[in-house]
Amino acid sequence: MKQRRRYKLGLITTLASLGGIALILLCLQTLASPKFRTRWDLTSQGQVGLSERTVDALAQLPEGSRAVAFLLFKENRQLLQNGAQVYPKAYGRLRVLLEDARIRSGGKLEVSILEEFSSPVEIETTLQEYERQPLEVLAIQTPTGQRRKFLFDELFVTLPPSPDGAPARLVQERIDSVLGDAAIRLASGKTLRAGIVTGYGQPFVDREQGLLPFLRVMQSEGVDAIAVEGPAQALVQNLDLLVVPGQRKSFLDADANALRQWLQAGKPLFLALGPTAPPELVASWNQSLANHGIQFGPGMICEARPEYRVYPGTSAVATLELADHQFSGQHTATMRLSEAGRPQGVVAVRPLELVGGNNDYSRVSLARSGEKAWVDLDQDFAPGPGENIGIKNIAAAAELWEGIDPSASGRVILFGSAVTLTGRHLPGIHEFLGAGLRWLIGQDETPGGLVALKSLPFRPTRSTQLRITNLAILGIPGFTLLLALLIFWRRRS
């Protein structure tokens, strides 16, 4: 009898153990699924993980989307000199946020990281599949083949090595906003096409010193940009947006007629003319845009900034820094930029004027100079007779009051600088251009990559940090000790 009870008890114990093990394995397998994994950001500034905006955008991605990080390349030699640790820090941070993206996307985003010890076959196959170009470190692709690729400089801001031998430093990251922007554009499933005019003296579109960085800005906004010889080709191919990034020669008759048809159809236009554009070309554009009520003026906007040792008489006054209050807070193209509190930078700017036009169009100044700016007419970089000091318009927009849809809304943006769209100057105006492009193609209600300062985590100043430290280390323990001594003294007495 006892032997039988012993067998029963052993069998029950064994079955319970096996059931418990099976239950534990089932729980572990279930919890290993990305949609059940959770991470908490317990840092004081809440910046270890992705923002809620980016998480919401990732959740909208189609199932089977993939992010690939190319972390086996270190192609910028400046970031390797003097023992600089830029690449290890940057790539380590990218790994963390991509893992966070994988987890918080609910399993919709697959993450692949190519490193030096990855399989050579996998590396070669992935490089060919994604057509990886030099300096690209991240690519995101949907199952339908829509793709966004990003350079190292688009994800990170660095300082180059100093002349005294100090190594390059990593000073800022943009991974969160880049992931959020890419997810929003890819989840929309819309791919618009823009024609960049290149046949009339514009910079090269396939060079880093030219318009290639500007093309990447357009791609990050979900716009596929192709080079066209003029408005006629853009009209024939039925493109969604016409971009004229600088111009040195007037349009031929065929392109001039196509431009008139483009504007009459209310199709969107982005036009940038700098101070070096020929006067007859400026006059031609002003005539074409006469109904819109926005015109290009003569000369170049200059502004001295003694606090930065920028004085009249030097070409440095042609570089303008735009603070948040210098952007329109009422227009959807610049509203978030105005709220975000982030400065932008432009160089060699022709002034714009809001004059004439008819009542079919609304017009607004998107960006303005400071109060101490002047329009330099005699090319001496100093205010002189007839060069009045005051606020000048840097960018302006117009659209039909009764636009049918974005493709026929008559939306136009004029920008007074062409050189700012090229090479090393473009990062200073990157966010403004992105917002402007979203407005032109009718995606101005789509969230951008900017976050208002009031929405950012609390960052105390050094003096505030010192007061908090004194209160935590000295104040609270000291008060507790005094209270204990007071109670002890009262009880003794």
Side-chain angles (χ1 to χ4, degrees):
M1 189 70 178
K2 290 183 178 180
Q3 189 71 17
R4 186 180 302 173
R5 290 179 61 186
R6 190 176 295 115
Y7 285 142
K8 280 186 177 181
L9 183 60
L11 181 61
I12 292 174
T13 303
T14 302
L15 291 176
S17 301
L18 293 175
I21 293 173
L23 181 61
I24 291 173
L25 292 176
L26 179 62
C27 290
L28 290 176
Q29 184 177 5
T30 302
L31 294 176
S33 176
K35 62 182 179 180
F36 289 110
R37 297 185 64 182
T38 305
R39 301 179 73 195
W40 289 276
D41 185 358
L42 303 179
T43 60
S44 59
Q45 296 184 357
Q47 292 181 318
V48 169
L50 298 173
S51 66
E52 291 304 317
R53 168 192 174 271
T54 299
V55 172
D56 293 340
L58 291 171
Q60 302 303 317
L61 284 174
E63 195 82 30
S65 298
R66 185 185 182 196
V68 178
F70 306 100
L71 306 188
L72 65 162
F73 300 102
K74 301 176 181 178
E75 296 163 314
N76 190 336
R77 298 300 177 188
Q78 282 192 331
L79 304 183
L80 299 173
Q81 297 175 4
N82 303 331
Q85 296 298 307
V86 171
Y87 276 116
K89 292 180 180 178
Y91 286 170
R93 181 66 174 150
L94 185 56
R95 287 189 194 92
V96 170
L97 290 185
L98 285 178
E99 176 64 13
D100 198 23
R102 186 184 72 84
I103 293 172
R104 303 186 70 179
S105 68
K108 293 185 177 181
L109 182 67
E110 175 190 348
V111 175
S112 299
I113 296 180
L114 298 183
E115 302 181 270
E116 295 176 354
F117 49 81
S118 299
S119 165
V121 176
E122 179 187 6
I123 292 175
E124 186 65 26
T125 302
T126 306
L127 292 179
Q128 292 181 0
E129 178 185 355
Y130 284 82
E131 300 176 344
R132 193 259 177 189
Q133 300 297 319
L135 302 179
E136 290 177 349
V137 296
L138 178 64
I140 304 177
Q141 180 172 293
T142 65
T144 58
Q146 289 182 294
R147 181 185 301 166
R148 295 288 174 264
K149 297 192 292 183
F150 302 94
L151 299 175
F152 184 89
D153 290 342
E154 294 179 83
L155 301 179
F156 302 97
V157 178
T158 60
L159 286 179
S162 62
D164 60 1
R169 293 187 295 115
L170 181 65
V171 296
Q172 184 184 354
E173 67 176 53
R174 298 170 176 163
I175 305 173
D176 181 80
S177 61
V178 164
L179 285 176
D181 289 346
I184 290 171
R185 310 304 168 222
L186 294 172
S188 68
K190 299 178 181 178
T191 301
L192 303 176
R193 298 187 304 155
I196 297 185
V197 176
T198 60
Y200 292 90
Q202 286 81 8
F204 293 101
V205 297
D206 57 351
R207 298 182 182 178
E208 289 292 336
Q209 299 85 357
L211 293 171
L212 188 57
F214 183 44
L215 263 67
R216 294 195 187 98
V217 173
M218 301 181 70
Q219 291 172 352
S220 69
E221 299 301 334
V223 180
D224 285 342
I226 61 174
V228 295
E229 295 180 356
Q233 187 177 351
L235 199 61
V236 169
Q237 297 191 22
N238 194 28
L239 300 181
D240 302 291
L241 171 65
L242 181 65
V243 178
V244 184
Q247 190 175 344
R248 302 305 301 267
K249 298 181 293 184
S250 298
F251 286 136
L252 299 176
D253 291 342
D255 283 323
N257 293 331
L259 175 65
R260 282 192 290 271
Q261 296 179 45
W262 186 278
L263 294 175
Q264 289 172 0
K267 297 172 76 68
L269 166 70
F270 180 90
L271 170 62
L273 287 183
T276 59
E280 62 275 11
L281 175 64
V282 176
S284 175
W285 272 110
N286 285 345
Q287 183 179 0
S288 299
L289 298 169
N291 291 336
H292 295 71
I294 48 179
Q295 306 276 288
F296 288 101
M300 181 170 61
I301 301 176
C302 296
E303 185 174 5
R305 300 187 305 279
E307 63 274 18
Y308 296 109
R309 298 182 181 180
V310 176
Y311 301 103
T314 65
S315 60
V317 296
T319 300
L320 311 178
E321 182 175 329
L322 308 181
D324 53 355
H325 65 272
Q326 293 172 243
F327 293 96
S328 172
Q330 303 300 318
H331 198 276
T332 54
T334 51
M335 184 182 301
R336 290 181 61 83
L337 191 61
S338 177
E339 294 174 351
R342 302 188 186 187
Q344 303 281 281
V346 294
V347 60
V349 184
R350 176 184 290 271
L352 298 174
E353 301 171 356
L354 276 63
V355 294
N358 56 42
N359 291 335
D360 293 337
Y361 291 87
S362 66
R363 71 275 301 185
V364 64
S365 174
L366 297 180
R368 306 173 184 84
S369 69
E371 298 178 352
K372 299 180 180 180
W374 73 91
V375 176
D376 189 50
L377 300 174
D378 52 11
Q379 302 180 7
D380 63 352
F381 300 110
E387 299 176 349
N388 297 327
I389 295 177
I391 297 175
K392 314 299 178 185
N393 297 314
I394 292 173
E399 67 175 321
L400 288 168
W401 283 107
E402 299 179 355
I404 301 173
D405 56 60
S407 63
S409 62
R411 293 186 173 184
V412 172
I413 286 182
L414 301 189
F415 185 49
S417 176
V419 69
T420 305
L421 304 181
T422 62
R424 62 186 178 88
H425 299 294
L426 184 129
I429 200 70
H430 177 281
E431 291 162 340
F432 168 77
L433 293 177
L437 290 170
R438 284 194 296 274
W439 177 75
L440 285 171
I441 60 180
Q443 295 185 1
D444 41 304
E445 299 301 326
T446 303
L450 293 175
V451 179
L453 289 182
K454 61 184 179 182
S455 301
L456 293 176
F458 171 63
R459 293 182 176 86
T461 62
R462 180 60 183 167
S463 59
T464 303
Q465 289 178 343
L466 185 60
R467 284 195 293 269
I468 294 175
T469 301
N470 291 336
L471 179 64
I473 296 178
L474 301 176
I476 296 177
F479 175 77
T480 304
L481 179 60
L482 290 175
L483 183 62
L485 291 175
L486 177 61
I487 294 175
F488 176 76
W489 178 75
R490 291 292 301 270
R491 294 187 64 180
R492 285 289 303 268
S493 60

